[in-house]
Amino acid sequence: MLSPEERQEIEGEFGHYPDKRALSIDAMRIVQRHRGWVSDDALKDISEILEVPVSELDSVATFYNLIFRKPVGRHVIMVCDSISCWVMGYDRLRDHLTGHLGIKMGETTADGRFTLLPIVCLGTCDHAPAMMVDNDLHRDLDAEKIDGILEQYK
Amino acid sequence: MEKVLTKDVPADGSAFDLRTYERAGGYQGVRKALKMAPKEVVEVIKQSGLRGRGGAGFPTGLKWSFVPTGTDAPHPKYLCCNADEMEPGTFKDRLLMESTPHQLIEGMICAARAIEADVAYIFLRGEYVLSAERLTKALTEAYEHNYLGKNILGSGFSLEMHLHLSGGRYMCGEETGLLNALEGKRANPRTKPPFPQISGLFGKPTIVQNVETLCNIHHIINNGPEWFKGLSKSADGGTKLYGASGKVKRPGLWELPMGTTVREILEEHAGGMREGLRFRGLLPGGASTDFLVEEHLDVKMDFTEVQKVGSRMGTGTMIVMDDRTCPVGFCKNLEHFFAQESCGWCTPCWSGLSWAEKMLGSIEDGEGQEADLERLAYICKFCAPGNTFCALAPGAVEPLQSALKYFREDFERHIHEKRCPWR
């Protein structure tokens, strides 16, 4: 069941669009902000609020990179794999991260601390290579910097 | 050189609040636009020759003039700011939103006035967290001081403006894909016609415009079209945010006169290549543009001149390739991006781009065949404009088709030596 806060936040957005269906992505983002991901049960509740079939919501959810339909770790690391970051050493960065965390891209550490994902260009190409951890942008990265950054997220 | 869009960017990385923005002359453009008839605003922008800064360079005033106006026009009408900025190598709009959010809001109010829009959305990519925070605060301030909402400054004009955070997909940056995303659907492109100016968001007249374009509007209204044209070194008016990334000495972003040469941007502002590296080529304006090489360095970076030498200025943020970077690997990275972000709506795109990515991977791994180069050229032809539903696939093959032209010997070397010479 969605919490009263989640419902209130979703309903608070109603006035922004002439059609409740337009809130599909916003509603999933709201739920994800509270729980980290969007479960089947949450999708059913959103479906009732917005009067959009679950199958349609799921087709929308799976289209977008930032909607998670599986549980993720406490912190999500998104590493930019686009061209400017690739030129500036993405491969080495990825290998260092996967080696340090002991997981492949797309996986979550056994202790549930980190999920490691690739991300499309973070729009900070003049400070490549870059990654985001949760809502924090980290730029001009190298292996040494990464170890220090990961220590900040418990 | 006069800076327009970045003159009020605080050096400490902060953003102006409303009062500071007003003290610096902010919202005077809105006051002026509200005293003008909508058609007059359109006419001023038409005369200025402003071309859209999102990449395509379509004349802004002309685009606006397609929107039905007057008492018989359908309402509500919409203005959408395309702040998706997901194309690799593109990093200009982030600065404007993080540093001068009120500048964007002011430009949007003036644009909305021109087309008599009732509702405006800022469609922002979800990863731009700081932009979202600062735009949210600026929107609240603008509402509190009646720059937004009902009867703005007593003019009789009303406008609601909302921030929409994207779920994240490159297709959201495509004009009609963005409209579908705003309607809560998959960001598949729509058939044109009808064009969004006639039937767009929720079936109503809609204008979609890039951040940098909108940030120019109130400056043009304040200072006039001739002033705007005079900022430029070429036929395309105004200044332009140019950038450079890759192994140059000083990667960055600079506001310069439109028509500044590629050489000046690369050598004077970006400082040239890093020690020990040689320039091989660059994509002038994002991942979907054709390579420029040494012989093009004196080309003016504007919409017309770059097109004359077979590429596009795009966003004006160049991605530089040095001689220690493998051109095949470079193209593979680009095609991986485009294949992954294809929405799957039409066959040339979903089939052709993933095929190109696989072939480039096998060439890089030393398993390529001579015929692969012809197959890659075929895919480029197959994905050309007119063969696909939207511009994703034609854009995706631009770097590849030009790499096959300028770096062909590098592709052939991989095939003959059965290895990547850069590894």
Side-chain angles (χ1 to χ4, degrees):
Chain A
M1 288 288 286
L2 296 189
S3 70
E5 290 81 14
E6 287 168 323
R7 279 181 183 275
Q8 204 178 348
E9 278 187 50
I10 293 169
E11 286 165 9
E13 301 274 321
F14 279 177
H16 291 185
Y17 308 92
D19 176 356
K20 279 201 283 188
R21 181 206 166 106
L23 269 164
S24 302
I25 297 155
D26 301 69
M28 288 190 271
R29 287 188 64 103
I30 287 167
V31 168
Q32 189 164 291
R33 199 170 63 242
H34 285 274
R35 306 165 179 223
W37 67 296
V38 183
S39 66
D40 287 350
D41 286 343
L43 216 58
K44 275 185 205 153
D45 290 341
I46 295 171
S47 158
E48 280 164 27
I49 297 172
L50 302 185
E51 297 167 33
V52 178
V54 172
S55 58
E56 267 192 61
L57 281 180
D58 193 34
S59 85
V60 170
T62 52
F63 186 84
Y64 291 98
N65 305 329
L66 298 177
I67 307 289
F68 305 142
R69 288 285 279 120
K70 284 182 182 174
V72 290
R74 291 198 298 282
H75 305 289
V76 177
I77 305 173
M78 299 194 290
V79 195
C80 176
D81 64 0
S82 296
I83 191 67
S84 301
C85 285
W86 180 79
V87 168
M88 299 303 284
Y90 160 77
D91 285 350
R92 282 197 307 279
L93 217 66
R94 177 204 53 207
D95 292 347
H96 182 80
L97 273 164
T98 51
H100 185 95
L101 298 173
I103 52 173
K104 293 180 192 155
M105 294 299 281
E107 292 181 346
T108 300
T109 53
D111 61 1
R113 188 172 159 205
F114 290 115
T115 294
L116 188 57
L117 298 173
I119 190 76
V120 171
C121 184
L122 286 168
T124 186
C125 316
D126 50 341
H127 291 281
M131 67 179 189
M132 274 186 91
V133 184
D134 303 333
N135 283 336
D136 310 325
L137 182 64
H138 300 282
R139 319 191 295 173
D140 299 307
L141 294 174
D142 55 36
E144 202 173 293
K145 263 192 185 174
I146 283 185
D147 293 349
I149 290 164
L150 295 184
E151 281 306 304
Q152 298 166 26
Y153 300 90
K154 298 297 176 189
Chain B
M1 189 238 105
E2 186 176 355
K3 285 188 180 174
V4 179
L5 306 179
T6 58
K7 76 173 164 31
D8 291 329
V9 169
D12 63 357
S14 65
F16 279 0
D17 61 12
L18 179 71
R19 288 299 175 217
T20 320
Y21 181 71
E22 284 176 327
R23 275 199 295 275
Y27 285 106
Q28 291 306 315
V30 162
R31 290 175 192 281
K32 203 166 170 184
L34 291 175
K35 287 177 188 150
M36 296 162 72
K39 278 189 176 160
E40 283 180 82
V41 181
V42 175
E43 195 51 38
V44 169
I45 300 302
K46 258 189 182 174
Q47 284 171 14
S48 76
L50 173 67
R51 296 177 66 173
R53 305 304 201 227
F58 194 82
T60 303
L62 183 64
K63 190 179 194 178
W64 292 359
S65 69
F66 299 143
V67 176
T69 52
T71 46
D72 295 336
H75 282 272
K77 284 193 263 184
Y78 296 100
L79 171 72
C80 299
C81 169
N82 186 343
D84 201 47
E85 193 156 76
M86 275 184 79
E87 177 144 323
T90 301
F91 55 101
K92 64 187 180 68
D93 294 336
R94 177 198 279 269
L95 173 80
L96 296 173
M97 292 185 286
E98 288 182 356
S99 307
T100 60
H102 277 292
Q103 179 172 233
L104 174 60
I105 294 169
E106 180 170 13
M108 287 182 70
I109 299 167
C110 295
R113 170 68 176 171
I115 62 163
E116 301 171 342
D118 308 274
V119 182
Y121 293 100
I122 303 172
F123 188 98
L124 179 68
R125 67 174 296 186
E127 296 91 344
Y128 278 13
V129 177
L130 187 58
S131 299
E133 280 172 17
R134 290 183 174 173
L135 281 165
T136 301
K137 180 172 179 275
L139 283 170
T140 305
E141 289 176 327
Y143 269 107
E144 283 169 0
H145 291 80
N146 194 216
Y147 290 119
L148 289 172
K150 303 255 179 266
N151 190 21
I152 296 171
L153 305 176
S155 65
F157 177 65
S158 302
L159 179 69
E160 300 297 329
M161 194 179 290
H162 308 294
L163 179 67
H164 174 95
L165 283 184
S166 172
R169 191 76 189 236
Y170 178 58
M171 275 305 298
C172 296
E174 197 272 341
E175 187 180 45
T176 58
L178 183 148
L179 301 179
N180 276 335
L182 263 175
E183 290 182 5
K185 304 170 186 163
R186 287 177 163 232
N188 296 125
R190 295 179 181 177
T191 319
K192 291 191 272 191
F195 288 90
Q197 293 93 323
I198 306 298
S199 177
L201 191 62
F202 304 110
K204 300 291 185 188
T206 304
I207 284 289
V208 181
Q209 211 85 65
N210 168 259
V211 173
E212 188 183 349
T213 316
L214 289 163
C215 286
N216 271 296
I217 303 299
H218 55 286
H219 296 292
I220 298 171
I221 289 167
N222 263 332
N223 300 297
E226 292 309 315
W227 163 85
F228 184 75
K229 286 181 194 165
L231 296 168
S232 166
K233 287 183 177 176
S234 76
D236 296 332
T239 61
K240 178 79 193 74
L241 289 183
Y242 293 112
S245 65
K247 288 181 180 165
V248 292
K249 283 185 186 142
R250 293 189 299 272
L253 191 63
W254 313 275
E255 183 180 6
L256 300 169
M258 178 70 90
T260 302
T261 64
V262 177
R263 187 185 298 281
E264 183 185 327
I265 297 165
L266 184 64
E267 294 179 359
E268 289 183 31
H269 301 284
M273 302 306 294
R274 284 187 182 181
E275 288 306 327
L277 296 180
R278 200 167 60 82
F279 169 78
R280 285 217 71 197
L282 57 83
L283 304 179
S288 66
T289 54
D290 296 73
F291 274 99
L292 297 182
V293 293
E294 190 98 32
E295 67 189 80
H296 304 124
L297 289 179
D298 292 311
V299 168
K300 286 181 172 181
M301 277 278 275
D302 70 20
F303 295 107
T304 313
E305 297 302 314
V306 179
Q307 198 166 21
K308 279 184 190 165
V309 294
S311 186
R312 294 186 303 114
M313 180 175 73
T315 56
T317 46
M318 48 177 69
I319 309 159
V320 181
M321 188 173 76
D322 59 275
D323 63 337
R324 294 212 194 143
T325 297
C326 172
V328 176
F330 195 99
C331 288
K332 187 189 142 201
N333 177 282
L334 293 170
E335 297 315 320
H336 166 73
F337 162 77
F338 286 114
Q340 172 189 281
E341 292 300 315
S342 167
C343 73
W345 198 242
C346 63
T347 306
C349 191
W350 68 256
S351 170
L353 299 181
S354 55
W355 188 14
E357 183 198 351
K358 277 184 193 138
M359 246 191 293
L360 288 163
S362 65
I363 293 173
E364 210 194 5
D365 291 341
E367 293 161 4
Q369 302 164 3
E370 200 79 48
D372 285 349
L373 300 187
E374 296 319 310
R375 290 189 189 108
L376 285 170
Y378 168 72
I379 291 172
C380 292
K381 204 173 154 190
F382 189 52
C383 290
N387 293 343
T388 62
F389 217 81
C390 80
L392 190 147
V397 295
E398 283 188 35
L400 179 57
Q401 72 190 7
S402 56
L404 287 169
K405 181 174 162 190
Y406 295 121
F407 310 118
R408 196 172 185 91
E409 74 277 15
D410 298 307
F411 284 76
E412 287 169 346
R413 214 177 138 196
H414 279 77
I415 294 166
H416 296 152
E417 295 182 16
K418 298 190 184 308
R419 68 184 185 100
C420 173
W422 279 266
R423 279 185 188 162

